[in-house]
Amino acid sequence: MLRRLSSRNTLQYCTRLATTRFMCNNGAEKFLEVTHKNGVREITLSHAKTLNSLSMPMMCQLQEALSKDQDAVDLRCIVLSAQGKVWSAGHNLKELASCESSARAEVFQQLSDVIMDIRKLPVPVIAKVNGYAAAAGCQLVASCDLVVCTDTSKFSTPGASVGIFCNTPGVAISRVMTHPKSAYMLMTGLPISGEEAYIAGLVTKVVPEQELDATITEITCAIKSKSRSVISLGKEFYYKQQQMPIEQAYAAAQAKMVENMQMDDCKEGIKSFFEKRPPEWTHKN
């Protein structure tokens, strides 16, 4: 859902909302495939003719698919995948080239909204990459909670090659990768391999292509074995504490631990541990 920013007045907000709705609803073409099975929602970018570029319609559909029924107990995690050899080529340059400056700003804001929604979702979001993620596509990958890629996958931020420095992708990759490697990607535009991405911190795991599905299943099953409410509490605080000085973070974490231990699922987890049996989660806050 589109959010109103407190720093904008009503007229600015309504103008943006009208513009974004027009760009999102410009045609009824389908850009995604969405499935839900055993607590896992898989959202697949499926617009091969644009190399899964993040056009405004694509991003609007993605935002809707991510946020739909996000508080439902049977939603335990989200997997973000793509069809084809290109996971996502980034923003749609034809769309950007044909827009006025104000509309271009809406395109960039829409992806920022999607990324902030990923961070605020109560369940983990896993990027499943088997291909090439470039520019804003790489930004989207880097913004997921976990990233699993194949050993043939590649990542790049090549915008400077066509005169558009990847400033927004730089925000995402510089927060998860080492400085030398993220600067290398941004300033040369050269791609890095899945293994290099793993070493630099962009990727959680890198596996052979034939092991990708099994690895995703292993991770999602591990998440589903936990209390949804505990994972939700932990994910929210994980990102919140990253913005704090370390002493403040520890103080807040201590308070969060105490809060966590008051939850019914925490009490059940401790009880089941002592009774040597599987826990029976309620998944309630």
Side-chain angles (χ1 to χ4, degrees):
M1 183 178 293
L2 296 173
R3 296 182 300 278
R4 179 173 182 172
L5 303 180
S6 59
S7 61
R8 298 183 181 185
N9 62 34
T10 303
L11 178 60
Q12 289 173 318
Y13 172 70
C14 291
T15 300
R16 183 197 162 198
L17 187 61
T19 303
T20 305
R21 281 178 174 167
F22 172 77
M23 296 178 76
C24 286
N25 296 327
N26 190 13
E29 192 169 358
K30 194 173 182 180
F31 290 81
L32 307 172
E33 299 291 338
V34 182
T35 62
H36 191 111
K37 184 178 180 181
N38 297 327
V40 179
R41 178 181 299 162
E42 182 162 3
I43 303 170
T44 304
L45 310 183
S46 58
H47 204 250
K49 68 181 181 182
T50 61
L51 302 177
N52 294 323
S53 65
L54 299 175
S55 63
M56 184 64 94
M58 166 77 88
M59 291 189 290
C60 291
Q61 290 182 23
L62 176 57
Q63 189 174 36
E64 182 179 355
L66 285 166
S67 61
K68 182 180 179 181
D69 299 326
Q70 61 179 277
D71 295 320
V73 173
D74 64 345
L75 176 64
R76 306 302 304 284
C77 54
I78 295 173
V79 174
L80 186 55
S81 61
Q83 293 179 358
K85 294 181 179 180
V86 178
W87 196 87
S88 174
H91 286 299
N92 189 310
L93 289 180
K94 287 185 179 180
E95 179 183 69
L96 289 173
S98 63
C99 288
E100 299 293 335
S101 293
S102 59
R104 290 170 183 161
E106 297 304 326
V107 171
F108 297 128
Q109 181 63 53
Q110 185 66 20
L111 183 55
S112 296
D113 287 348
V114 168
I115 285 169
M116 294 312 298
D117 282 352
I118 288 173
R119 180 166 289 203
K120 293 174 182 177
L121 281 169
V123 297
V125 179
I126 307 164
K128 177 185 178 183
V129 183
N130 182 23
Y132 187 31
C138 187
Q139 176 186 353
L140 181 58
V141 168
S143 302
C144 292
D145 301 307
L146 303 173
V147 180
V148 181
C149 78
T150 59
D151 52 13
T152 57
S153 294
K154 292 184 178 181
F155 305 87
S156 73
T157 50
S161 300
V162 293
I164 311 171
F165 196 87
C166 285
N167 293 292
T168 44
V171 173
I173 68 171
S174 67
R175 279 163 168 73
V176 296
M177 299 179 71
T178 60
H179 168 80
K181 188 61 78 174
S182 61
Y184 168 85
M185 291 179 67
L186 291 163
M187 296 177 190
T188 70
L190 295 172
I192 63 171
S193 67
E195 186 65 28
E196 288 177 293
Y198 171 71
I199 293 170
L202 174 61
V203 168
T204 309
K205 295 193 75 171
V206 55
V207 298
E209 182 175 357
Q210 63 269 25
E211 296 179 15
L212 182 59
D213 288 342
T215 301
I216 292 294
T217 298
E218 178 185 23
I219 292 172
T220 57
C221 285
I223 291 168
K224 291 190 295 178
S225 72
K226 315 298 189 291
S227 163
R228 186 189 196 275
S229 55
V230 170
I231 293 294
S232 176
L233 176 143
K235 175 180 172 176
E236 179 183 23
F237 184 74
Y238 173 76
Y239 288 113
K240 185 176 181 180
Q241 61 84 24
Q242 288 181 340
Q243 311 304 316
M244 301 177 184
I246 191 165
E247 289 186 4
Q248 181 183 347
Y250 270 117
Q254 291 159 198
K256 187 61 66 173
M257 294 289 285
V258 172
E259 176 187 342
N260 191 163
M261 294 196 72
Q262 299 304 310
M263 296 172 63
D264 288 342
D265 275 352
C266 179
K267 295 173 184 177
E268 164 61 14
I270 294 172
K271 183 179 179 183
S272 69
F273 174 79
F274 287 122
E275 294 178 355
K276 295 182 173 56
R277 60 171 175 80
E280 297 179 3
W281 306 123
T282 66
H283 304 295
K284 295 179 180 178
N285 294 326

